[in-house]
Each structure stands twice: as C-alpha cells, then as structure tokens.
Amino acid sequence: MKLKDILEDLKVLEMTADPEKEIGDIAYDSRQVTPGALFVAVTGFAADGHKFIPMAAEKGAAAVLCERKPETDIPYILVENTRKALALASASFFGHPAEKMRFIGITGTNGKTTSTYLLKEILEKTLGAKVGLVGTIQNMIGQEVLETERTTPESYELQKLFREMADKGCTHVVMEVSSHALVLDRVAGIPFEVGLFTNLTQDHLDFHGTMEEYRKAKAMLFRMCRIGVFNLDDPASGPMMAEADCIPMTYARDRSADLRAAEAVLHSDSVEFDACYCGEAVPVRLRIPGGFSVYNALGVLGAAVALGIPLEDAAAALREAKGVKGRVEVVPTPGRDYTVLIDYAHTPDSLENVLTSVKGFCKGRVIGVFGCGGDRDNTKRPIMGEIGARLSDIALVTSDNPRTEDPDKIIDMILAGIPDRSNCVVEPDRRKAIRLAMSMAEKDDIIVLCGKGHETYQILGTVKTHLDEREEVAAALQEQEERK
C-alpha cells in the first residue's frame, strides 16, 4: 500500500518521506520491523520508541512515524500523537474493516466480560449474526476461539483482527473497552454504534492516579459512540452523561430509568425479574446467580434495544444463555456435599458483590479465598481485606499474582484492613490455600475462589507458572481419595 493511503486520516505536521512509497507493513516494536515497513515510534511506559528509530532503520524500515524529528537519517512523518496515529494508520492499512461491521463497546470496572458474552448470544440468536468478540478471556470470530493477552489489544493488532473478522463474515463486534485502551488511543477511530457503561468502582489507580481520572477515561467511549447505555444506579453515570456526545439510554434497578428491573428474585442458580420498557413488562431469566446479574442482564438488554432488537426477543435469547468461564463458575466436586465456585473478583466492589450474592443463597458457611495482585494499586488491599473478612464465615487470605512484590507483605496490607481476625486464616501458597479450604468445608458450605477466574496461571516475579484452579480442585479431591 502506498504511504499516502496509509496517512489519509492523519494530520501530518511535517514530512520528508515519499508519499508514493510502497509500505509492506506497520510496526511499533523495532524488533518486529521488516524491510519496507513503516515504523511508528510510540512513547511507552518502559521505553520511548524514538530511541529505537536507529534499530528500525538498520532493519530496513522505509520511513518512521514520529513525534520528534529523528536524529538518524531516515524518511519521517511528523505527527502530534503517534499512539493515535498508529490506530488511524493501522485502520487505513487494513482497509478500514471496522466500517463494514456494527460495533458495541462495553466499559466499566466489573461485568464487562459477562456482558460481552451475553450480548454476543443475543445477537446470534435474534439476528442470526456472526459476531466477533474482543475480551479479557479470549477473542472470538463466531465460534472460533483466539487467545488474547490483554483486555483490549494494541490498535495494530485490533485492526488486523477486525480485518479477519470482516473477511470471515462477521456483521457485529462486541468488545470490552478498557480504560487503558481509551487513554492510550487503542480504539481511536472505531465507529461504535453503541457504548454500554456497567459501573465504576476502585481499580487501576496505579495507572490513573485518582477515581476522577479513571472515570474520565471510561467516559471517553461516550464521545465515540452513537448511543450510550448507562447504569443510572451508578453515581458515575451522571457526569458521564453530561460529558457524552451520544444519544443516552438509561437502565436501573433502584431508580426510574428508560429500562428498569421490577420484581427481581435471586435464586441460587439464576435471577428473574420483569424488564420494564416503554410501557411493557417482559419476564427475564438469566442462569447466572447474584444481584449483579440483574445489572448485567439489564445492560445487555438495553444495548440490544439500542440496536433495534425487540426487548421480548432479546429476553428470550437471554433465557438460553449460559454462564461464562471464571464468573461464578461451579467447579465439579463429585461425591462432596459442599460447593466450590470460581470468580474473577479482584476489586473491592466485585469481591463484595460475589460474596454478598453467595451469602444470600448459601445454606452453610461461606469460605472466601482471596488475595491481591502485586505491582498494582495497593490502596485496595486493606479494603478487600475488610470486605473478605466481613462477608466470609472463614476468610482465607492467600496470593493472587504477587508478581515482583513479596507475597507476605501484600498479605500484611490486606490484613491491615481487618480489625477482628478471628475468622481469618493465612496461607500464602495458593495451591495449599485451595486444599486447606476444601479440608475445612462441611455440608452445605460454599468455597469461593476469588481473583483468578478464567486465568490459568500465577505470576511469580516476572514468570507465569501454570495454575488452573479447576485442576487444583480435582487434584485435591484425588489426593483425599488416595488418603482414605
């Protein structure tokens, strides 16, 4: 593709590169540069891409897209923001695939993953659509599963994925949109039809600094979409709607809204309520327990209605929807009279939500197993400690991706939030903690393994080691049988 076509949507400040030059690829990592590629010098957290322009030139880059004039003798294109330029240039390079599909972006602290899967099912069942999914657990093209490294990939990989989705017949794309992706322009230029806001609770303050900056990051989506669907029960929705450039639609359980849940009933394996919209009340049943499931259901129903799908059809599709891996997931424990659940709860709000929900239908004791990640926001550690101890009959504090921090010091910070530790047990080794919880469990107890969810690893130092909690539960059961 000619350079001038790649740059068609960019505001170029200065340029020495030949616009007629053929470009074979785009690279933002100098190690990935191939002869004839356009190298984009992105300023990262660990390193400034401008430092690697000489390496890109040595590897045969045809030109460099940069924010500062390169010291190396290489044709360049000067722009104000290379992150945004990377997104727009990548879209052009792959032929603007996003313009061929309808996009729904879901943002918020909790509920994004479950909501993407639920909405994907609604679109498939009501429209017969082939749906692409971009998310934390995995990416999908229809039923084809693609592994993923982070919630929202870098813009080049995103546009490459969109190209594949469009070529394979996808008509819709449902994607989780992280606050990082919004601030770092990974989703710049994507024509979102609908944006959905789930909630805002403490997370990622290591990156954003304050809750207000975190909220502002999430709010960016609603200046990029045509219709915004907002959870009116969340206080952040007010200022978000005030700053939005989209048509607002609201949903709520506790307040008057465009779409409202009435007569909600929480069961041990599901939730039921009436979805009230424009004078009609449609019965809804979702086979995922917990009060937060009412909000997830309302949100995706709102997004479906915003896309023109009749509420009754969307609700019917939701009744057939299954759960999501690592989200209140029941782990098989054959022959045992207690239950083991796995949930991704790794923030104060998500931990409180899942433990409160389980406490609502548990006939025995709630055994909460949880920890906090290392090299991440440490202010939430004592908060999660207080929540875990208060809502668990037995709070088993352990490790959850300690990374380069000392696991014992992370646990000390968690314990600092617990005034009465009489129901607390500490076991830093997560494998041992799971076995300890299972050895404590009695009839009708529910063990809630919090934090890992879909993850099948533990990060110790800078190394990922395999740890699948489903396998650990099965292994613990086998060990118990062998000891008999």
Side-chain angles (χ1 to χ4, degrees), residues 364-381:
R365 301 174 301 170
V366 175
I367 303 175
V369 181
F370 66 97
C372 289
D375 301 336
R376 296 293 186 271
D377 175 18
N378 59 25
T379 64
K380 69 182 183 183
R381 293 171 185 172

Side-chain angles (χ1 to χ4, degrees), residues 215-255:
R215 182 198 66 76
K216 286 180 179 179
K218 296 289 188 185
M220 293 172 68
L221 177 63
F222 303 99
R223 295 192 291 276
M224 301 170 62
C225 63
R226 190 176 72 84
I227 302 174
V229 181
F230 298 90
N231 175 5
L232 210 55
D233 284 338
D234 192 291
S237 282
M240 279 190 172
M241 291 169 67
E243 298 168 7
D245 293 331
C246 59
I247 301 167
M249 177 182 178
T250 59
Y251 66 96
R253 180 178 173 183
D254 299 327
R255 301 176 63 184

Side-chain angles (χ1 to χ4, degrees), residues 386-403:
E386 188 279 327
I387 292 169
R390 172 167 47 87
L391 296 176
S392 301
D393 295 290
I394 300 176
L396 209 166
V397 184
T398 187
S399 297
D400 182 357
N401 293 335
R403 298 182 177 88

Side-chain angles (χ1 to χ4, degrees), residues 9-10 34 83 135 151-152 179-180 187 189 195 208 219 246 277 282 313 318 320 342 357 412 425 444 474:
D9 294 326
L10 273 62
T34 54
R83 282 195 175 277
T151 301
T152 313
S179 55
H180 291 68
V187 293
H208 297 289
C246 59
Y277 179 72
V282 176
D313 294 349
L318 210 54
E320 299 177 34
I342 290 177
S357 296
D412 286 343
V425 180
D444 294 330

Side-chain angles (χ1 to χ4, degrees), residues 34-56:
T34 54
L38 173 65
F39 175 61
V40 184
V42 174
T43 302
F45 298 108
D48 183 350
H50 291 76
K51 295 180 180 179
F52 300 97
I53 292 176
M55 182 185 295

Side-chain angles (χ1 to χ4, degrees), residues 28 86-88 90-91 94 96-98 101 103 132-135 139 141 146 148 150-166 173-178 180-182 184-190 192 224:
Y28 59 90
L86 174 62
L88 300 179
S90 297
F94 288 107
H96 298 285
M101 300 174 287
F103 276 74
L133 182 145
V134 182
N139 298 329
I141 301 177
L146 309 171
T148 183
R150 51 188 169 191
T151 301
T152 313
E154 187 52 83
S155 56
Y156 174 86
E157 281 77 23
L158 262 184
Q159 294 295 334
K160 185 177 182 180
L161 177 61
F162 295 159
R163 178 75 269 162
E164 187 177 358
M165 288 176 171
V173 177
V174 182
M175 62 183 294
E176 295 183 47
V177 183
S178 68
H180 291 68
L182 287 159
L184 299 177
D185 287 310
R186 291 178 192 156
V187 293
I190 296 176
F192 289 102
M224 301 170 62

Side-chain angles (χ1 to χ4, degrees), residues 400-437:
D400 182 357
N401 293 335
R403 298 182 177 88
T404 63
E405 287 193 66
D406 182 342
D408 291 327
K409 289 183 178 178
I410 295 174
I411 289 173
D412 286 343
M413 293 184 75
I414 294 171
L415 294 175
I418 307 174
D420 178 7
R421 302 178 191 174
S422 58
N423 67 329
C424 291
V425 180
V426 173
E427 174 46 73
D429 186 311
R430 196 170 182 99
R431 286 185 170 85
K432 291 180 180 178
I434 292 170
R435 284 159 174 77
L436 180 57

